[in-house]
Amino acid sequence: MLFRSYLQQAGAFALNVLGKGQQDIAFLFFKETEWDDQTINGQPYRASEIGAPLLLSAAAWLEGRIVDAVEHGDHTVFVAEVVDAHVNAAFDGRPDEQTLVLSDLGENIYYGG
């Protein structure tokens, strides 16, 4: 099922945020997703109150409920209301410097969109 179709059907989502040093977890999601009762791609998770999967190892997450969708060409822009957010551990410094970003994964990793 296309991600767009899944998201429209679910009506809610979680954005799991990985922190610096969690590159190994990021690479687990560069392939087709494998689910079982307690893990996603081998990573333990729990379902949030709105049913979205929250990775227990994520540095932080936010949960959103879709309130609108705008179709344009072969893309859909989802408008969502954030219903919850959580940071799993205290950190030093600026919060935006704690998040794993694509360039942290190596100079040969690019998003091809």
Side-chain angles (χ1 to χ4, degrees):
M1 176 185 294
L2 291 174
F3 183 72
R4 172 176 46 189
S5 299
Y6 177 79
L7 200 52
Q8 287 170 320
Q9 181 180 8
F13 65 92
L15 175 62
N16 290 281
V17 180
L18 297 179
K20 298 287 187 191
Q22 292 189 299
Q23 290 88 331
D24 56 335
I25 297 171
F27 283 113
L28 294 173
F29 290 88
F30 279 32
K31 62 179 183 171
E32 189 169 334
T33 304
E34 297 175 8
W35 294 74
D36 69 29
D37 290 341
Q38 304 196 346
T39 66
I40 303 171
N41 288 5
Q43 292 297 300
Y45 77 97
R46 72 171 177 85
S48 72
E49 290 185 26
I50 60 174
L54 305 175
L55 295 177
L56 300 182
S57 58
W61 61 72
L62 66 84
E63 301 171 66
R65 188 177 323 274
I66 297 171
V67 296
D68 198 5
V70 179
E71 305 269 343
H72 187 74
D74 63 350
H75 286 73
T76 304
V77 175
F78 291 98
V79 180
E81 170 190 18
V82 175
V83 296
D84 197 9
H86 181 77
V87 176
N88 280 331
F91 53 86
D92 295 324
R94 293 174 48 121
D96 58 330
E97 292 177 349
Q98 308 305 310
T99 303
L100 183 70
V101 295
L102 195 57
S103 61
D104 293 332
L105 301 179
E107 62 184 46
N108 294 322
I109 303 296
Y110 300 98
Y111 174 68

